[in-house]
Amino acid sequence: MFDFADGSREQVDLLGGKGANLAEMTKLGLPVPPGFTITTEACRYYLAQGEEPQSLRVQVTMALRRLEDQLGRRLGDVQDPLLVSVRSGAKFSMPGMMETVLNVGLNDYSVKGLADAAGDERFAWDSYRRLIQMFGRTVLGMPGALFEDALEAAKRRTGARTDVELPAEELTALVESFKQVVAAHTGREFPQDPREQLDMAMRAVFDSWNTERARIYRRRERIPHDLGTAVNVCAMVFGNLGETSGTGVCFTRDPATGKPGAYGDYLGNAQGEDVVAGIRNTLSLEDFARLDPASHAELTQVMRRLETHYRDLCDIEFTVERGKLWILQTRVGKRTAAAAFRIATQLIDERLITEDEALHRVTGEQLGQLLFPQFDADAQRELLTRGMAASPGAASGKLVFDSATAVEWAGRGEDVLLCRRETTPDDLAGMVAAAGVLTSRGGKTSHAAVVARGMGRTCVCGAEELDIDVETRTVKVNGTTLTEGDVVSIDGSTGEVFTGRLPVVASPVVNYLERGLDAALAEADPETADLVRAVDRLLRHADRTRRLRVRANADTAEDATRARDMGAEGIGLCRTEHMFLGERRVLIERLVLAEEAADREAALAELLPLQRADFVALLTEMDRLPVTIRLLDPPLHEFLPDRTELAVKVAVAEARGEADPEAERLLAAVDRLRETNPMLGLRGVRLGLLVPGLYAMQVRAIAEAAAERRNAGGAPIVEIMVPLVGSVMELHLIRDEIDQIITDIAESSGAQLEIPIGTMIELPRAALTARRVAEAAEFFSFGTNDLTQTTWGFSRDDVEASIFATYLEKGVFTVSPFESLDRDGVGALIRTAVASGRETRPTIKLGVCGEHGGDPESVHFFHDAGLDYVSCSPYRVPVARLEAGRAALAADTGL
Ligand code: PEP
Ligand code: MG
């Protein structure tokens, strides 16, 4: 228990955000009503033991007495009673998630004392009915409607349009009926003892930490469940004491846009909840200045004082009681991504913070939000349903229910949204063609979500209300049936799904990244220009500050261009598998079906020039920058036709008494390659060792492409990466072959070829034996996707849909380990591999190319682990640059 006068803002763990800031403002001498804070420690005890610590009761008594003595009034006294508010306040703000009870201390006697003291009968009874209503709902757990119905009935009886018009007698009667409602519903009278009210309200606030909505909120915001909330008990001041009273909320700058200058709402003759409830229209701060110039002037001073003290945007709740200004709450205000960037740079210019501090105050997540197109905020919209915000952006298009239709319609220039129960690798072409992806099953780490994020496609997943029928090409949702071709809009930043097409505004930040600062500024309005300048400034500061290099995962020259636009300093992972799809797939089929060496070689010979051309294009685009090309990784059956289709084909032919030898051969091949656990089967380096000529062809294509570029005057920097290595022996065997090919091509082409050969570390064994693996590897690239799968023994595509919701719910982890790196497990393997890899080969280059390379928290880990670079999808590159800068700051300056 701390009096406001005894705490400070540093004690946020113990006092919660609200309590710490009330204490800080009290220390600053601002007009804060006195009170005290019951600590989060008491809450944790209460939640664990089911009752508050004995000593707390005593401490509350002492604090209450000090408060009473200070004000010269007693809680719930029959004359001029002291009333208190009881408010929650956790370390991290959880707006609207927990409970508040106002006017504690009113009963059948003190209500009269309040009426006398205020000289306002109506006000006193209105305060009392508000107490019973709030107490009933939050402390006694009664349905709010019970009270609202009685209130409506009273309004009807008297013809009052709003609460304010209810006369005192009517409010007196209303209090009586509220009390009856309480007695009828709970079987006991509304407590008349002020201290009992206080104790019950305090417990209700403690309990509200664990309500369903609070738990959901914390999961989403990654706030730990074991912090508990503080409880702030504060002397009541009243904004509803007539025309010289009122209440409001203000921000020292605009939290929506970041525009300088105060911004706020004021409501005369009202209590705080009226402002939030939006019952009456609020006034602007300018109107408030005209209405009550003295209070406005004082508020302006308080705002300046707080902003100077906190050196940041502050969000303030205030009340004017009969011309006297009271500050009820402040905190460093939440803001949109755009406002975060603009305010941070404004504060640098105002010499209030340093560039380092400004960088610390913006996050990669916010920058990520600024990169996506958004629906025009002013547009009319009709919400259809909601799913998970899986991959940000705003997309509108015609609904299609299968990949082929998506490709076909997109081919004729239509915008389509691919709507599936869930997606599989077979849907890839449709996902590429679609403007967005919408699924009814799976979470943020489902196939749809992961792939969509990887390619920067907007995605809403797990919209469970969607009842999709692929047969009839319809989807039912909340009584509406939509058919293929109906237009829908999805917001991947909020998870919302709307009917119809909503207008979209492009991201000015992407425009800046792609075309440079001057071009972006030339066509921006002043507000947008300010934002773009802010992003440019902080991103450049991050680049100056960071030690991690940032590369991109890119497979084509087109991806590479985007990667460079976004600031990538190389390609950390070129997955060669896409080069085996499309028209080339038949060549793989031939390779797999080959019975004679000659057939196999013919297929490889046809693949070689195609691969070489791919690499020439990539190396041309990335001239002078490192490009890490990974040899083929996935199992070969992925390139063969679907087994069921083949089986049907063969059966149909047989039924007709015919034969389809081609289909039979393919089916036999599919069966031969079929694996129970393909992820753990014949893939990665194992393919290289078992399928003769495959890796050799790829290496030859890479080396020849590099030689061609060099002979053409280019400066290719290419690295060859071997996937899924578990033992150094595998790498030695493959290297023997690779080294020979490179030497041969260097000789035959006359080009000087220095092509480092390294490996992915994506199996625990590779990490644990990294000392040996480094003997044969010039670099390690941590494949944290597979390393997470294999460390946990999770098959990603299976577990995300089936067990992750429960695991998150039960707190096995607070965030999916596929989204943010599991530091304790996977992270420990990485640290081991880093240390032992460097022991063997001090100059070994270390990077990461799993999806975690673009995740803000994981980037901080990679910095701390001492990696040289992270590689992520092109769209995440700016995010990684910013976070790498912030990570270096955090490590060097503690910011
Ligand atoms: C990885 O496993 O982290 C990786 C980058 O490889 P892929 O995602 O292609 O398996
Ligand atoms: Mg992998």
Side-chain angles (χ1 to χ4, degrees):
M1 233 282 325
F2 279 71
D3 286 351
F4 289 168
D6 296 336
S8 76
R9 75 165 144 159
E10 281 73 39
Q11 289 167 297
V12 56
D13 286 339
L14 199 58
L15 304 181
K18 192 180 292 166
N21 288 323
L22 280 166
E24 190 74 12
M25 289 195 294
T26 304
K27 218 167 60 179
L28 286 176
L30 299 183
V32 176
F36 54 89
T37 302
I38 299 164
T39 63
T40 55
E41 196 180 357
C43 176
R44 289 191 293 271
Y45 182 101
Y46 170 86
L47 292 175
Q49 308 293 329
E51 59 180 358
E52 62 269 24
Q54 282 291 322
S55 55
L56 183 66
R57 300 174 144 260
V58 179
Q59 288 191 19
V60 169
T61 306
M62 307 300 283
L64 200 53
R65 288 194 176 196
R66 282 194 298 272
L67 185 60
E68 290 174 339
D69 291 348
Q70 186 182 347
L71 295 172
R73 287 147 63 207
R74 304 261 291 276
L75 184 70
D77 204 356
V78 289
Q79 281 173 359
D80 192 10
L82 166 67
L83 305 181
V84 294
S85 62
V86 180
R87 294 172 191 266
S88 61
K91 173 175 181 180
F92 301 105
S93 129
M94 296 169 53
M97 289 299 131
M98 290 181 298
E99 303 297 1
T100 288
V101 187
L102 303 179
N103 303 338
V104 168
L106 277 176
N107 57 23
D108 295 351
Y109 305 98
S110 61
V111 67
K112 294 180 184 131
L114 182 65
D116 287 345
D120 189 339
E121 191 91 1
R122 193 201 159 277
F123 155 74
W125 287 97
D126 189 43
S127 302
Y128 194 15
R129 73 95 191 154
R130 285 174 193 258
L131 168 65
I132 303 172
Q133 190 170 353
M134 241 186 259
F135 198 91
R137 222 168 9 87
T138 66
V139 183
L140 305 174
M142 295 169 59
L146 290 177
F147 298 104
E148 278 140 31
D149 291 349
L151 184 62
E152 283 310 313
K155 280 201 235 167
R156 270 200 305 278
R157 255 199 318 277
T158 54
R161 271 175 300 127
T162 64
D163 306 3
V164 185
E165 292 171 21
L166 283 175
E169 318 77 73
E170 195 56 47
L171 288 164
T172 315
L174 193 57
V175 162
E176 220 29 65
S177 48
F178 274 14
K179 286 200 308 194
Q180 279 164 18
V181 169
V182 169
H185 193 268
T186 65
R188 49 168 296 196
E189 299 296 319
F190 173 75
Q192 291 288 314
D193 176 4
R195 176 60 192 265
E196 192 186 353
Q197 289 175 5
L198 175 60
D199 289 341
M200 289 175 76
M202 175 190 77
R203 278 179 223 127
V205 172
F206 283 160
D207 285 329
S208 69
W209 174 258
N210 273 334
T211 56
E212 182 65 16
R213 63 178 181 185
R215 298 188 72 86
I216 291 171
Y217 182 86
R218 287 199 293 273
R219 257 201 313 279
R220 209 179 55 215
E221 298 291 313
R222 300 191 196 169
I223 299 172
H225 289 304
D226 57 1
L227 298 178
T229 179
V231 181
N232 299 291
V233 179
C234 183
M236 285 292 303
V237 291
F238 295 96
N240 52 345
L241 272 174
E243 291 313 311
T244 55
S245 304
T247 189
V249 180
C250 62
F251 296 85
T252 54
R253 295 168 199 243
D254 187 334
T257 63
K259 207 161 101 185
Y263 167 92
D265 296 317
Y266 179 77
L267 198 56
N269 198 10
Q271 270 194 319
E273 75 247 31
D274 303 331
V275 182
V276 183
I279 301 167
R280 285 179 277 148
N281 284 340
T282 54
L283 302 180
S284 67
L285 288 183
E286 291 73 36
D287 294 334
F288 174 47
R290 275 190 291 278
L291 201 68
D292 184 350
S295 298
H296 178 267
E298 194 183 350
L299 179 67
T300 306
Q301 244 176 14
V302 168
M303 281 197 269
R304 189 180 154 84
R305 186 83 197 277
L306 283 175
E307 207 182 65
T308 310
H309 189 68
Y310 285 90
R311 300 186 301 129
D312 205 346
L313 160 75
C314 292
D315 151 350
I316 300 159
E317 284 178 23
F318 63 96
T319 280
V320 179
E321 184 184 271
R322 292 191 167 150
K324 162 92 182 96
L325 176 75
W326 292 100
I327 306 297
L328 301 187
Q329 178 180 330
T330 194
R331 61 181 171 208
V332 167
K334 296 207 173 190
R335 64 206 76 183
T336 62
F341 277 85
R342 288 184 66 192
I343 291 172
T345 49
Q346 283 160 20
L347 294 175
I348 306 175
D349 291 338
E350 292 169 30
R351 313 279 195 278
L352 275 175
I353 62 174
T354 62
E355 276 197 314
D356 282 355
E357 284 171 311
L359 177 56
H360 168 67
R361 288 189 187 177
V362 293
T363 65
E365 161 123 33
Q366 286 166 336
L367 180 58
Q369 285 167 19
L370 293 176
L371 299 180
F372 288 95
Q374 288 150 7
F375 288 126
D376 187 343
D378 301 328
Q380 281 273 344
R381 50 185 68 193
E382 190 190 330
L383 187 70
L384 192 61
T385 184
R386 217 179 257 284
M388 264 177 266
S391 176
S396 300
K398 293 185 172 172
L399 281 178
V400 294
F401 297 100
D402 65 273
S403 184
T405 313
V407 172
E408 189 192 324
W409 291 22
R412 55 181 200 233
E414 311 245 33
D415 288 334
V416 297
L417 289 184
L418 179 62
C419 180
R420 306 276 295 159
R421 212 162 292 150
E422 56 209 346
T423 61
T424 67
D426 291 339
D427 293 314
L428 209 62
M431 295 176 76
V432 172
V437 181
L438 172 63
T439 69
S440 62
R441 286 177 44 187
K444 280 191 177 184
T445 50
S446 60
H447 177 270
V450 171
V451 174
R453 273 200 299 279
M455 54 195 198
R457 217 38 106 252
T458 300
C459 175
V460 170
C461 65
E464 287 172 355
E465 290 175 344
L466 295 178
D467 183 4
I468 300 169
D469 187 343
V470 181
E471 289 300 307
T472 59
R473 296 175 180 253
T474 57
V475 53
K476 290 203 188 70
V477 52
N478 295 326
T480 312
T481 303
L482 297 167
T483 325
E484 189 167 72
D486 286 349
V487 175
V488 162
S489 298
I490 59 173
D491 188 332
S493 312
T494 62
E496 292 164 311
V497 183
F498 304 98
T499 27
R501 183 180 298 275
L502 297 185
V504 167
V505 286
S507 158
V509 176
V510 167
N511 190 24
Y512 145 72
L513 288 163
E514 285 175 352
R515 302 176 47 220
L517 185 61
D518 292 338
L521 290 181
E523 57 197 48
D525 61 61
E527 297 264 307
T528 309
D530 195 48
L531 169 64
V532 166
R533 247 184 252 110
V535 169
D536 170 66
R537 188 162 171 190
L538 294 178
L539 208 44
R540 276 190 296 119
H541 188 58
D543 286 340
R544 280 195 295 275
T545 310
R546 66 187 160 90
R547 282 197 296 280
L548 277 174
R549 302 226 146 235
V550 179
R551 298 193 192 179
N553 295 353
D555 307 336
T556 61
E558 193 189 340
D559 285 353
T561 311
R562 173 162 298 273
R564 285 183 67 162
D565 287 343
M566 298 294 136
E569 298 161 292
I571 290 178
L573 171 62
C574 164
R575 292 181 169 102
T576 50
E577 37 273 23
H578 92 275
M579 300 166 178
F580 287 64
L581 292 171
E583 289 160 7
R584 306 175 186 184
R585 201 186 55 77
V586 287
L587 295 172
I588 302 295
E589 243 174 59
R590 276 173 44 198
L591 178 69
V592 173
L593 293 178
E595 277 157 18
E596 309 283 325
D599 295 340
R600 188 167 51 236
E601 274 155 27
L604 289 169
E606 271 193 65
L607 277 167
L608 176 67
L610 300 172
Q611 282 262 276
R612 187 170 52 221
D614 293 330
F615 298 140
V616 167
L618 198 60
L619 293 176
T620 308
E621 180 57 37
M622 297 300 288
D623 202 45
R624 294 177 193 284
L625 293 173
V627 176
T628 307
I629 298 175
R630 179 176 78 184
L631 303 179
L632 192 70
D633 185 20
L636 290 177
H637 77 85
E638 282 196 11
F639 303 102
L640 297 181
D642 180 65
R643 185 183 186 282
T644 316
E645 275 172 30
L646 284 171
V648 169
K649 228 173 167 181
V650 169
V652 167
E654 270 173 12
R656 287 200 188 119
E658 300 162 4
D660 186 340
E662 186 56 25
E664 281 169 24
R665 251 157 47 97
L666 266 172
L667 183 59
V670 171
D671 281 341
R672 198 170 62 237
L673 290 170
R674 195 140 96 149
E675 295 170 320
T676 315
N677 247 321
M679 186 189 76
L680 302 175
L682 180 58
R683 55 169 285 212
V685 67
R686 301 163 199 169
L687 278 176
L689 293 171
L690 271 87
V691 181
L694 178 64
Y695 273 15
M697 179 278 292
Q698 290 197 291
V699 170
R700 178 169 293 278
I702 294 167
E704 287 178 355
E708 185 180 323
R709 285 293 305 142
R710 186 164 288 284
N711 289 339
I717 307 176
V718 62
E719 306 169 333
I720 293 177
M721 179 152 78
V722 184
L724 216 75
V725 164
S727 152
V728 68
M729 263 315 283
E730 293 169 314
L731 201 54
H732 276 308
L733 289 168
I734 284 290
R735 271 205 80 135
D736 287 346
E737 197 180 356
I738 296 178
D739 286 337
Q740 189 57 52
I741 295 170
I742 295 175
T743 312
D744 289 350
I745 292 170
E747 258 172 39
S748 62
S749 67
Q752 199 191 341
L753 293 181
E754 272 167 36
I755 305 183
I757 294 154
T759 180
M760 298 198 61
I761 302 285
E762 46 190 347
L763 294 174
R765 194 178 191 286
L768 294 169
T769 61
R771 188 174 291 117
R772 294 295 312 279
V773 177
E775 290 166 8
E778 279 146 89
F779 63 89
F780 286 169
S781 179
F782 292 95
T784 48
N785 302 335
D786 273 309
L787 193 56
T788 302
Q789 295 204 90
T790 51
T791 300
W792 281 87
F794 279 153
S795 154
R796 178 175 189 162
D797 290 339
D798 297 320
V799 293
E800 284 184 330
S802 59
I803 72 167
F804 270 27
T806 310
Y807 267 39
L808 288 164
E809 167 65 34
K810 294 195 182 299
V812 178
F813 31 66
T814 51
V815 54
S816 156
F818 290 111
E819 220 174 290
S820 193
L821 192 89
D822 154 35
R823 292 177 179 227
D824 295 344
V826 179
L829 285 170
I830 293 176
R831 286 192 190 275
T832 300
V834 166
S836 41
R838 284 209 174 114
E839 242 172 68
T840 302
R841 192 188 288 264
T843 57
I844 191 166
K845 202 185 308 173
L846 302 168
V848 61
C849 62
E851 262 203 82
H852 303 87
D855 167 66
E857 277 181 40
S858 311
V859 168
H860 285 246
F861 173 83
F862 298 132
H863 172 95
D864 293 338
L867 298 195
D868 298 306
Y869 69 87
V870 295
S871 186
C872 54
S873 84
Y875 299 91
R876 300 298 290 178
V877 164
V879 174
R881 285 163 60 196
L882 192 85
E883 286 295 346
R886 296 183 73 233
L889 265 186
D892 297 349
T893 69
L895 267 177

